[in-house]
Amino acid sequence: MSVNIDKNKTTVNLDEQKVYMSRVAKIVKKRWERPAACVVTYGCQQNVSDSERIRGMLMCMGFEFTDNTGDADVVIFNTCAVRGHAENRVFGNVGALKHIKQKKPDMIIALCGCMMQQQHVAEKIRRSYPHVDIVFGTHVMHRLPEFLWNRLTGASRIFELPDSDGEIIEGLPVHRDGSVRGFLSIMYGCNNFCSYCIVPYVRGRERSRDPEVIIREAEQMVKAGYKDITLLGQNVNSYGKGEPHGVNFAKLLRLLNEIEGDFRIRFMTSHPKDCTIELLDAMKDCEKVCRHLHLPFQCGSDRILKQMNRHYTKSDYLALVEAAYERMPDLNLSSDVIVGFPGETYDDFLDTLDVVKKVGFTQLFTFIFSPRQGTPAAQLPDPVSRDEKVKWFEELLKVQEEILQSKMHDMVGKTYRVLCEEPGRMEGLVCGRTSGNMVIEFKADISLIGSFADVKVTNASNVIEGELVQKIS
Ligand code: SAM
Ligand code: SF4
Ligand code: F3S
């Protein structure tokens, strides 16, 4: 399959930032004996991926890394705004940095990410957290070298939060967290405006990277030894919409599947309204694409789904799941669910439980509705008490736990190909992940990490246990 590239697409020129990088590298060497940075990431995989680029830039500026904020000369919090709980954690942890900075006045504290992209949050930081030096938004992450340079050379506190939709930033250095599994962003932003969600406001409109650039990065990752590549986007199945190259997400999967090597491809997240039969067929046909689909349904009630602005019904969702299972009987599905959307009744919630029981998810990410300032849902009357919502939430967890237990028991006696990813809970144990995203712990030498192996499941209670059948590659 050939790919045409839109040569005119706006990408950000990084030449200026490269100059800042080398300037900062010189100045930090003089200022600190062994410059150390600590990057703390909140939120989703998109933020994890952004932090890998922030670390990449910091590394080029001569920083080593520490996990301890107290040992760091530069601390960067990459924040998340998706729920109130996530934001409160950030405020608490930024507050705690004040005492560290009193002892180390030389230290630089920077806040970035989705939370900072909200005007009221930036204002609060300006007013109540004077020890924070730099605040920058999601669209200007690549300008970190410039911000550091300016602050290090005496500029007053920096607040850089342009409200653009952002361009595509290619060519930033990357310092990936792991060496076996890696993230690869294929698109940024979201156009869906689900009525409860802050993401489209803080991440801007959808924009897709060119397929050729994605394929090149995937090839480099495979060459570097990555065996499990997760393609990232808020709604990966809108990939390529409106782009002249004509490569949609299903086609992109097929292109990536052609890359030589023994590796797996995963992706997240898929929106049910854009999950096409073409995509399910591509999943079925591509042997490198994992038998796992994260397909958030949020709620089972048609009335609430409409208010959530999700553009599908309960029966649309169930039909999609059936089409997926028809093509891939061994597929594992996972989902996100919100409990207690404004105006949701217990009857609405029972529809959610019904979907959970009918589909049989192997993993469910469950959230109680959290009002987000500026979103339509935050304006709606919300008569159900928090205690009541917590009761529904617990009921949901109980049902899901039973489903998971039965799914895990079904695995006993069967052999799965796993990618050995990390040491297990005790010495002599290794954790391997199946194509369906289940983790099996088994006796093996840690030298197996990074290899594929066949493992037979012997027991499933709290964890899935197995025994090594054979090492593959
Ligand atoms: N784009 C993805 C999607 O649509 O599935 C994920 C978006 S968000 C980062 C991850 C999950 O957070 C959502 O699927 C939703 O379940 C949950 N979420 C988003 N806004 C929320 C809110 N205001 N209150 C509670 N949960 C929320
Ligand atoms: Fe939020 Fe909906 Fe976009 Fe997901 S698809 S990021 S839930 S607005
Ligand atoms: Fe949070 Fe931003 Fe992700 S709001 S969930 S870090 S896109």
Coordinates of all heavy atoms in Angstrom, one line a residue, residues 40-48 51 77-91 111-118 121 138 197-199 202-203 234 367 372:
V40 N 6.8 14.5 37.2 CA 5.7 13.7 37.8 C 4.5 13.8 36.9 O 4.1 14.9 36.5 CB 5.3 14.3 39.2 CG1 4.2 13.4 39.8 CG2 6.5 14.3 40.1
T41 N 4.0 12.6 36.5 CA 2.9 12.6 35.5 C 1.6 12.2 36.1 O 1.5 11.2 36.8 CB 3.2 11.6 34.4 OG1 4.5 11.9 33.9 CG2 2.3 11.7 33.2
Y42 N 0.5 13.0 35.9 CA -0.8 12.6 36.3 C -1.6 12.3 35.0 O -1.3 12.9 34.0 CB -1.5 13.8 37.0 CG -0.7 14.2 38.3 CD1 0.4 15.1 38.2 CD2 -1.1 13.8 39.5 CE1 1.1 15.5 39.3 CE2 -0.3 14.2 40.7 CZ 0.7 15.0 40.5 OH 1.5 15.4 41.6
G43 N -2.7 11.5 35.2 CA -3.6 11.4 34.0 C -3.4 10.2 33.1 O -2.8 9.2 33.5
C44 N -3.7 10.4 31.8 CA -3.8 9.3 30.9 C -2.5 9.1 30.2 O -1.5 9.8 30.4 CB -4.9 9.6 29.9 SG -4.6 11.0 28.8
Q45 N -2.5 8.1 29.3 CA -1.3 7.7 28.5 C -0.8 8.8 27.7 O 0.4 8.9 27.4 CB -1.6 6.5 27.6 CG -1.8 5.2 28.4 CD -3.2 5.0 28.9 OE1 -4.0 5.8 28.9 NE2 -3.4 3.8 29.4
Q46 N -1.7 9.7 27.2 CA -1.3 10.9 26.4 C -0.3 11.7 27.2 O 0.7 12.2 26.7 CB -2.5 11.7 26.0 CG -2.1 12.8 25.0 CD -1.5 12.2 23.8 OE1 -2.0 11.5 23.0 NE2 -0.2 12.6 23.5
N47 N -0.6 11.9 28.5 CA 0.3 12.6 29.4 C 1.6 11.9 29.6 O 2.6 12.5 29.7 CB -0.4 13.0 30.7 CG -0.9 14.4 30.8 OD1 -1.0 15.0 29.7 ND2 -1.2 14.9 32.0
V48 N 1.5 10.6 29.8 CA 2.7 9.8 29.9 C 3.6 10.0 28.7 O 4.8 10.2 28.8 CB 2.4 8.2 30.1 CG1 3.6 7.4 30.2 CG2 1.5 8.0 31.4
S51 N 5.2 13.3 28.8 CA 6.2 13.4 29.8 C 7.5 12.8 29.2 O 8.6 13.2 29.6 CB 5.8 12.7 31.1 OG 4.9 13.5 31.8
F77 N 5.5 19.1 37.1 CA 4.2 18.3 37.2 C 3.4 18.4 35.9 O 3.0 19.5 35.5 CB 3.4 18.9 38.4 CG 3.8 18.5 39.8 CD1 5.0 17.7 40.0 CD2 3.1 18.9 40.9 CE1 5.4 17.4 41.3 CE2 3.5 18.6 42.2 CZ 4.6 17.8 42.4
N78 N 3.2 17.3 35.3 CA 2.4 17.2 34.1 C 1.0 16.8 34.5 O 0.8 15.6 34.8 CB 3.1 16.3 33.1 CG 2.4 16.3 31.7 OD1 1.6 17.2 31.5 ND2 2.8 15.4 30.8
T79 N 0.1 17.7 34.5 CA -1.2 17.5 35.2 C -2.3 17.1 34.4 O -2.3 17.2 33.1 CB -1.6 18.9 35.9 OG1 -1.8 19.8 34.8 CG2 -0.5 19.4 36.8
C80 N -3.4 16.6 35.1 CA -4.6 16.1 34.4 C -5.8 16.8 35.0 O -5.9 17.1 36.2 CB -4.7 14.6 34.7 SG -6.3 13.9 34.3
A81 N -6.8 17.1 34.1 CA -8.0 17.9 34.6 C -9.3 17.1 34.5 O -10.4 17.6 34.7 CB -8.1 19.1 33.7
V82 N -9.2 15.8 34.2 CA -10.3 15.0 33.9 C -11.4 14.9 35.0 O -12.6 14.9 34.7 CB -10.0 13.6 33.2 CG1 -9.7 12.6 34.3 CG2 -11.1 13.2 32.3
R83 N -10.9 14.8 36.2 CA -11.8 14.8 37.4 C -11.3 15.6 38.5 O -10.1 15.9 38.6 CB -12.0 13.3 37.8 CG -12.9 12.4 36.9 CD -12.9 11.0 37.3 NE -11.6 10.4 37.0 CZ -11.2 9.9 35.8 NH1 -12.1 10.0 34.8 NH2 -10.0 9.4 35.6
G84 N -12.2 16.0 39.4 CA -11.8 16.9 40.5 C -10.8 16.2 41.4 O -9.8 16.9 41.8
H85 N -10.9 14.9 41.5 CA -9.9 14.2 42.4 C -8.5 14.4 41.9 O -7.5 14.6 42.6 CB -10.3 12.7 42.4 CG -9.4 11.9 43.2 ND1 -9.3 12.0 44.6 CD2 -8.5 10.9 42.8 CE1 -8.3 11.1 45.0 NE2 -7.9 10.5 43.9
A86 N -8.3 14.3 40.5 CA -7.0 14.4 39.9 C -6.4 15.8 40.2 O -5.3 16.0 40.5 CB -7.1 14.1 38.4
E87 N -7.3 16.8 40.1 CA -6.9 18.2 40.3 C -6.5 18.4 41.7 O -5.5 19.1 42.0 CB -8.0 19.2 39.9 CG -8.2 19.2 38.4 CD -8.9 20.4 37.9 OE1 -9.6 21.1 38.7 OE2 -8.8 20.7 36.7
N88 N -7.3 17.9 42.7 CA -7.0 18.1 44.1 C -5.6 17.5 44.5 O -4.9 18.1 45.3 CB -8.1 17.5 45.0 CG -9.4 18.3 44.7 OD1 -9.4 19.4 44.3 ND2 -10.5 17.7 45.0
R89 N -5.3 16.4 43.9 CA -4.0 15.8 44.2 C -2.9 16.7 43.8 O -1.9 16.9 44.5 CB -3.9 14.5 43.4 CG -4.3 13.3 44.2 CD -4.2 12.0 43.4 NE -2.9 11.6 43.0 CZ -2.6 11.0 41.9 NH1 -3.5 10.7 41.0 NH2 -1.3 10.7 41.6
V90 N -3.1 17.3 42.6 CA -2.0 18.2 42.1 C -1.9 19.4 43.0 O -0.7 19.7 43.4 CB -2.3 18.7 40.6 CG1 -1.3 19.8 40.2 CG2 -2.2 17.5 39.7
F91 N -3.0 20.0 43.4 CA -2.9 21.2 44.3 C -2.2 20.8 45.6 O -1.3 21.6 46.1 CB -4.3 21.8 44.6 CG -4.8 22.6 43.4 CD1 -6.0 22.3 42.8 CD2 -4.1 23.7 43.0 CE1 -6.5 23.1 41.8 CE2 -4.6 24.5 41.9 CZ -5.8 24.2 41.3
L111 N 4.7 23.7 36.1 CA 3.5 23.0 36.0 C 3.0 23.1 34.6 O 3.1 24.1 33.9 CB 2.4 23.6 36.9 CG 2.7 23.8 38.4 CD1 1.5 24.3 39.1 CD2 3.1 22.4 39.0
C112 N 2.6 21.9 34.0 CA 2.1 21.9 32.6 C 1.0 20.9 32.5 O 0.5 20.4 33.5 CB 3.3 21.6 31.7 SG 3.9 19.9 31.9
G113 N 0.5 20.7 31.3 CA -0.5 19.7 31.1 C -1.9 20.3 31.1 O -2.1 21.5 31.2
C114 N -2.9 19.4 31.0 CA -4.3 19.8 30.8 C -4.9 20.7 31.8 O -5.6 21.6 31.5 CB -5.1 18.5 30.8 SG -4.7 17.4 29.4
M115 N -4.5 20.5 33.1 CA -5.1 21.3 34.2 C -4.7 22.8 34.0 O -5.5 23.7 34.2 CB -4.5 20.8 35.5 CG -5.3 21.1 36.7 SD -4.5 20.2 38.0 CE -4.8 21.3 39.3
M116 N -3.5 23.0 33.5 CA -3.0 24.4 33.4 C -3.7 25.1 32.3 O -3.7 26.3 32.2 CB -1.5 24.4 33.2 CG -0.7 23.8 34.3 SD -1.2 24.6 35.9 CE -1.5 23.2 36.9
Q117 N -4.2 24.4 31.3 CA -4.8 25.0 30.2 C -6.2 25.7 30.5 O -6.8 26.3 29.7 CB -5.0 23.9 29.1 CG -5.2 24.4 27.7 CD -4.0 25.1 27.1 OE1 -2.9 24.7 27.3 NE2 -4.3 26.1 26.4
Q118 N -6.6 25.5 31.8 CA -7.9 26.1 32.2 C -7.5 27.5 32.9 O -6.7 27.5 33.8 CB -8.6 25.3 33.2 CG -9.0 23.9 32.7 CD -9.4 23.0 33.8 OE1 -10.6 22.8 34.0 NE2 -8.5 22.4 34.6
V121 N -7.6 27.8 36.7 CA -6.5 27.1 37.4 C -5.2 27.9 37.4 O -4.6 28.1 38.4 CB -6.3 25.7 36.8 CG1 -5.1 25.0 37.5 CG2 -7.5 24.8 37.0
T138 N -0.8 22.9 27.1 CA -0.5 21.7 26.3 C 0.0 22.0 24.9 O 0.6 21.1 24.3 CB -1.8 20.9 26.2 OG1 -2.9 21.8 25.7 CG2 -2.3 20.3 27.5
C197 N -17.1 16.2 29.6 CA -15.6 16.0 29.4 C -14.9 17.3 29.2 O -15.2 18.1 28.3 CB -15.3 15.0 28.4 SG -13.6 14.6 28.2
I198 N -13.8 17.5 29.8 CA -13.0 18.7 29.7 C -11.9 18.6 28.6 O -11.4 19.6 28.1 CB -12.2 19.0 31.1 CG1 -11.7 20.4 31.2 CG2 -11.2 18.0 31.4 CD1 -12.7 21.5 31.3
V199 N -11.6 17.3 28.2 CA -10.5 17.1 27.3 C -10.5 18.0 26.0 O -9.5 18.6 25.7 CB -10.4 15.6 26.9 CG1 -9.3 15.3 25.8 CG2 -10.0 14.8 28.2
V202 N -9.1 21.4 26.7 CA -7.7 21.6 27.1 C -6.7 21.0 26.1 O -5.5 21.2 26.2 CB -7.5 21.0 28.5 CG1 -8.2 21.8 29.5 CG2 -7.8 19.5 28.6
R203 N -7.2 20.2 25.2 CA -6.3 19.5 24.2 C -6.6 20.0 22.8 O -5.8 19.5 21.9 CB -6.5 18.0 24.3 CG -5.9 17.4 25.5 CD -4.4 17.1 25.3 NE -3.7 16.6 26.4 CZ -2.4 16.4 26.4 NH1 -1.7 16.6 25.3 NH2 -1.9 16.0 27.5
Q234 N -7.1 10.3 21.7 CA -8.4 10.3 22.5 C -9.5 9.5 21.8 O -10.4 9.0 22.4 CB -8.8 11.7 22.7 CG -8.0 12.5 23.7 CD -7.9 11.8 25.1 OE1 -8.8 11.0 25.4 NE2 -6.9 12.1 25.8
F367 N -15.9 5.4 37.0 CA -15.7 6.7 37.6 C -17.1 7.2 38.1 O -18.1 7.0 37.4 CB -15.2 7.7 36.6 CG -14.0 7.2 35.8 CD1 -14.1 6.7 34.5 CD2 -12.7 7.1 36.5 CE1 -13.0 6.2 33.9 CE2 -11.6 6.6 35.8 CZ -11.7 6.2 34.5
R372 N -17.1 19.3 35.6 CA -15.9 20.0 35.2 C -16.3 21.4 34.7 O -17.2 21.6 33.8 CB -15.3 19.3 34.0 CG -14.9 17.9 34.2 CD -13.6 17.7 35.0 NE -13.8 18.1 36.4 CZ -12.8 18.7 37.2 NH1 -11.7 19.0 36.7 NH2 -13.1 19.0 38.4

